[in-house]
Amino acid sequence: MSAATGERSDGGSLVSAPGAVRRRIAFDRIIGWVLLLAFVAVLFPLFDMIYWVGEKALPSFGWQTLTETQVGLGGGLYAMIYGTLLLMVIATSFATAIGIAAGFYTAEFAPPVVQRIGRLAGNLLAGVPAIVLGYFGYIALVLYTHWGPTALAAGITLGVFMVPYVYRTTDLALSNVPTSQREATLAMGASRLQYLTRVGFPIAFPTILTGIFFAMALGVGDAAPVFYTAGFPSAVNQGLLSPTSYLTGAIWLFYSVPPSEGSLLTLGFQAAFVVILIVLGLNVVVQIISDRYRHRFRGLYA
Amino acid sequence: MERSEDQPLPRTGGGAPPSGPAPYAAPPAGGRWVRTGLVSIVAWIPLILLVTVAAVLVWESGLQNFGWSFFSFDYNLVPLTPGQTSFGIGVFVLGSAITAGLALLFATALSLALAISIAVYLPALPSRVLTILTNLLAGIPSVVFGLWGAVILAPYFGLTLEPALHAIIGWLPGFGGPTESIGPWGLLLATFILTIMIVPLTTALMRESLQSVPRDMVEAGLALGATRWEVVRRVRLRVARRGLWTAVLLGFARALGESLAVAMVIGASTTLPTSVYAPSTTVASFIFYQLDSAFTYPNLLRALVEYALILLVIALVVNLLAQRLTRVELATATMAGGLEAR
């Protein structure tokens, strides 16, 4: 009970020795700093990765990287960028149509049992390995249809990969709309569909949008779903039913093709740079939308 | 919302306003065609997709063709005597188990630390920034992880880290094999890449379950004179137990399913690894880089379907287990701050 332990020694009846309190507090402080080391371990790879991709990609990066088609050891990424955008358009349309429709139904109309099954299925679908989906797409959309590798098959496979993200976000956003809004609308005599289209959807829309952008960011970055279905021609895509190249595939290909160094590998790093830019851009958009949304609807979610 | 408030909502005829014992259960007629019509099928679409994937794989797989030898360690696509091909999955399962298991071990430790920091120790602003940064890590494309690991990290692993590990803990089983002679690509590098890749997911899930510990329990602990750490150890970790296990399981499933990044760094060997430095293959990465061979060998194509099926079954079982522990939203777990306003 010395004065050195300060006021806190009054609470020392919980512990045996007076010094123990100080030791416990010191330990608590120290462990707070020790835990921060984990951030170093995780954020170092993040920044190191971005640094090296920039270091390898930027010195020879220019307009011709974006506008020329790759031929032999030279050229640019035009065909891959075009292909990636095309795939994203197909996949996003597919995933958005299905995801939003399913989310609407699950949140508003489905009986509780269907709700539970749908939500579980959505989360399970998100847990299916991308390569399994890709292989499924290869069997169902390339072999069964006798199309061969096509942009459409790849886009749909990628769409299946993105569906659960859009679906779960839509459902969550609609379910999180305050009950008061729903009750007020229904009490005015509106139908559920009217509630959904005029009240529920406008409130949930920013969140749904973040979900779509989030799904797009994941879709841009994952090559596994499209690897088996898109083919990888070096020429620019000729239409929906012809094969297409894409950025993530370029990274893998230019790395794995011997001698896996030199100008092709640099092109691979440049593809990685472009993909990272797209993904970061989409993430920033998500962040901005959700910040604005939180600001705008602050009173609603009090 | 402001938009819709100005204009009055027109009433559709016929429906009685909700009243009586079940006030919100009886909507007016407007929604009925949606409820009963074709549109109701869309709610089943995620399930339909899931079942279709499984059904196609089951239908296409030739499990009968390969029998028990399928579960052996014997993989031989181009044998010396024709007709003796064997597609044992054992080597790949072992590779998956080692990389995903070790990665999970590291990732659990790391993300526990991160989650406790974010949920308990850090002030609001830094914890928000760090949450965004770790979620950003989840958004980095897997192929970029692979490229970084294979080109940038590999020399460091092969020339510095692996020899050092060999010298320091070479007496441990699995850590004593040759290092420089077999190239840097192997189980250890794949484990490292996988660890970094699943940390964002496990961190997000763990943080959520630590933050959802009831406030009164935490405050009761603090009021009794416990330090923050003691509350973490004796209250938060225990109350959030199920959520933490869920995070671990989902991280494991994610690590098992990662194909591309692993394919780039694991070295693509179909023989049993002799140490953690040795090249190997996982089930997912094997499916990924056998594309060209699969076009040449129809047999292999069927075997790959089985591999995919096994991967799917494992992923579904682990995910179901996790969802049984606590209901979590896997799909939106690492989303950048979008769904936090509940």
Side-chain angles (χ1 to χ4, degrees), chain A residues 14 24 27-28 31 35 48 98 102 105 123 135 138 144 165 168 194 198 207 210 227-228 275 279 291 294, chain B residues 4 10 42-43 45 60 121 128 139 141 148 224-225 228-230 287 291 295 301 329-331 335 337 339:
Chain A
L14 283 174
R24 281 165 54 209
F27 183 76
D28 179 58
I31 206 125
L35 291 179
D48 193 55
I98 289 182
Y105 187 84
N123 282 315
Y135 207 72
Y138 172 67
Y144 284 2
Y165 301 97
R168 294 309 306 131
Q194 282 170 331
R198 306 225 183 151
T207 314
T210 60
F227 188 64
Y228 269 85
V275 173
V279 169
D291 281 356
R294 206 168 302 162
Chain B
S4 54
V42 298
I45 283 183
E60 280 294 314
Y121 279 94
R128 180 144 181 272
W148 176 67
L224 283 173
R228 288 172 300 178
W229 173 250
E230 286 159 352
I287 299 174
L291 175 68
F295 290 148
L301 207 59
E329 289 293 343
L330 174 63
M335 212 167 117
L339 288 169

Side-chain angles (χ1 to χ4, degrees), chain A:
Chain A
M1 297 295 168
S2 65
T5 51
E7 302 158 24
R8 293 204 182 236
S9 65
D10 293 1
S13 57
L14 283 174
V15 291
S16 45
V21 175
R22 236 195 308 174
R23 236 175 292 134
R24 281 165 54 209
I25 293 172
F27 183 76
D28 179 58
R29 294 242 170 88
I30 291 168
I31 206 125
W33 289 103
V34 172
L35 291 179
L36 284 182
L37 288 179
F39 281 106
V40 180
V42 172
L43 294 183
F44 171 72
L46 177 67
F47 292 123
D48 193 55
M49 207 179 312
I50 293 175
Y51 167 77
W52 274 108
V53 170
E55 165 93 14
K56 295 262 182 187
L58 286 182
S60 56
F61 199 89
W63 278 116
Q64 80 282 354
T65 314
L66 300 176
T67 53
E68 280 177 17
T69 310
Q70 175 247 336
V71 181
L73 291 177
L77 299 166
Y78 176 70
M80 295 100 184
I81 293 174
Y82 177 81
T84 298
L85 294 183
L86 179 69
L87 289 180
M88 286 323 293
V89 169
I90 304 171
T92 310
S93 326
F94 183 87
T96 306
I98 289 182
I100 289 191
F104 267 29
Y105 187 84
T106 308
E108 193 57 32
F109 300 105
V113 183
V114 180
Q115 258 178 355
R116 221 176 312 135
I117 294 174
R119 284 168 182 165
L120 181 64
N123 282 315
L124 286 184
L125 195 58
V128 173
I131 187 70
V132 174
L133 284 183
Y135 207 72
F136 158 77
Y138 172 67
I139 293 169
L141 296 168
V142 174
L143 295 186
Y144 284 2
T145 57
H146 299 291
W147 287 346
T150 57
L152 187 63
I156 292 178
T157 313
L158 198 57
V160 172
F161 171 75
M162 284 160 58
V163 159
Y165 301 97
V166 181
Y167 165 58
R168 294 309 306 131
T169 324
T170 308
D171 178 26
L172 283 173
L174 284 174
S175 309
N176 285 344
V177 171
T179 332
S180 58
Q181 300 295 317
R182 188 166 178 279
E183 288 171 353
T185 317
L186 295 183
M188 300 289 278
S191 71
R192 287 209 242 178
L193 191 60
Q194 282 170 331
Y195 156 71
L196 204 53
T197 51
R198 306 225 183 151
V199 180
F201 185 63
I203 294 177
F205 180 67
T207 314
I208 296 176
L209 210 55
T210 60
I212 295 172
F213 282 120
F214 179 65
M216 284 169 72
L218 289 180
V220 167
D222 211 332
V226 290
F227 188 64
Y228 269 85
T229 39
F232 200 90
S234 49
V236 183
N237 169 262
Q238 300 299 318
L240 283 185
L241 286 181
S242 61
T244 181
S245 44
Y246 47 97
L247 284 166
T248 41
I251 303 171
W252 157 258
L253 205 69
F254 295 156
Y255 163 71
S256 64
V257 168
S260 80
E261 58 189 16
S263 59
L264 271 190
L265 190 64
T266 304
L267 209 56
F269 269 103
Q270 287 171 340
F273 182 73
V274 176
V275 173
I276 288 183
L277 273 193
I278 297 176
V279 169
L280 287 190
L282 287 168
N283 269 296
V284 168
V285 170
V286 167
Q287 198 67 50
I288 289 174
I289 295 176
S290 68
D291 281 356
R292 280 183 63 106
Y293 153 74
R294 206 168 302 162
H295 180 70
R296 185 170 160 197
F297 292 125
R298 187 177 290 146
L300 207 56
Y301 287 95

